[in-house]
Amino acid sequence: DGSWIKILEKYSIEISKVQPSNCGFFVNWSTIFEQRFSGLPLKSVELSFSNSRIKGEFIITKNGIEGGVIYTLSSKLRDVIKTNGSAELSIDLKPDLNLQEIIRRLSKPRLKLTMSNYLRKTLNLSGVAIGLLMENHNKIEINSFSSQELAFAIKNLKLILQNPFPIERCISTSGGVSFNSIDKNFMLINKPNTYVAGEMIDWEAPT
């Protein structure tokens, strides 16, 4: 719970602010999307942010997203949010198909199929992926898309992330005791025979 920080600060030990790391992020879902897809995974997608691209899956939560690929990008996302107030994450819902192949498949007549069933049948998109697409564009807009516009939306879905989940929900933290405050054996210079390690040190651990 971070209560150790107040204890060590009494000894004038330099401590960088502790922040969430390997964490999820808040997203402003609509009530319908939240109720229908909360707790479900979005699998086999590719996320792009800054100069990073990573394939994997993540979980839709009641108030945001979390999971493996999100944790990997979390420190970059958190820092951008801290500067800009939010971060835009790009999601490729069908990373194993290029844009032209998706356009080709979407050129098939829809006939009497609903858009959801059409996307499921032609591209094998999951219910969560289709729901996320609808969440971003709404049914009326999606139904008016050309094959090219729909394919582009599937390959470049934008998700706006708000604040990271609080420290109580994160896997690890950044920040902590500065390396200036410890010796080569990880002993506190201002408090001999007291040692710190792991999450207490100002080092952001990858997962």
Side-chain angles (χ1 to χ4, degrees):
D1 61 3
S3 60
W4 58 270
I5 293 173
K6 292 180 180 179
I7 297 170
L8 296 191
E9 281 178 339
K10 293 177 182 178
Y11 298 92
S12 300
I13 293 163
E14 183 183 334
I15 298 172
S16 300
K17 182 182 178 181
V18 174
Q19 302 180 81
S21 182
N22 294 300
C23 58
F25 293 85
F26 290 101
V27 179
N28 291 327
W29 300 131
S30 66
T31 302
I32 293 173
F33 183 85
E34 174 199 315
Q35 291 176 347
R36 188 168 182 186
F37 299 108
S38 177
L40 297 179
L42 185 64
K43 298 183 176 183
S44 303
V45 295
E46 183 176 73
L47 305 189
S48 300
F49 185 74
S50 186
N51 296 320
S52 300
R53 297 177 71 90
I54 180 170
K55 286 185 178 180
E57 65 179 79
F58 61 89
I59 303 289
I60 303 294
T61 71
K62 183 179 179 181
N63 46 21
I65 56 175
E66 62 183 340
V69 288
I70 304 301
Y71 301 151
T72 303
L73 296 170
S74 61
S75 59
K76 290 182 179 181
L77 291 166
R78 181 198 64 220
D79 291 347
V80 167
I81 289 171
K82 189 175 181 180
T83 302
N84 300 334
S86 65
E88 184 179 81
L89 185 64
S90 183
I91 305 173
D92 184 344
L93 297 173
K94 292 298 290 185
D96 297 329
L97 297 178
N98 63 36
L99 185 66
Q100 293 307 314
E101 174 59 19
I102 293 177
I103 292 172
R104 186 189 71 79
R105 295 191 186 192
L106 292 175
S107 297
K108 296 175 183 178
R110 212 174 108 190
L111 303 176
K112 294 183 179 181
L113 290 171
T114 64
M115 180 57 79
S116 293
N117 285 333
Y118 178 67
L119 292 173
R120 193 174 289 112
K121 189 174 181 180
T122 56
L123 292 173
N124 196 31
L125 278 180
S126 67
V128 182
I130 295 168
L132 200 54
L133 201 58
M134 300 290 186
E135 178 78 353
N136 261 40
H137 296 283
N138 77 54
K139 287 184 179 180
I140 296 173
E141 189 179 9
I142 289 271
N143 280 315
S144 67
F145 275 0
S146 65
S147 299
Q148 290 84 354
E149 288 172 327
L150 188 52
F152 185 82
I154 290 166
K155 296 289 286 181
N156 299 275
L157 188 144
K158 305 300 182 187
L159 199 59
I160 303 300
L161 308 186
Q162 310 300 327
N163 292 323
F165 286 167
I167 285 175
E168 291 78 8
R169 284 188 63 179
C170 69
I171 290 175
S172 56
T173 57
S174 68
V177 176
S178 167
F179 280 91
N180 297 327
S181 295
I182 59 178
D183 67 13
K184 64 180 181 179
N185 297 313
F186 297 90
M187 185 181 76
L188 293 170
I189 294 169
N190 287 4
K191 190 165 174 53
N193 299 319
T194 301
Y195 299 81
V196 293
E199 290 303 304
M200 294 181 76
I201 297 174
D202 185 11
W203 179 69
E204 191 154 9
T207 292

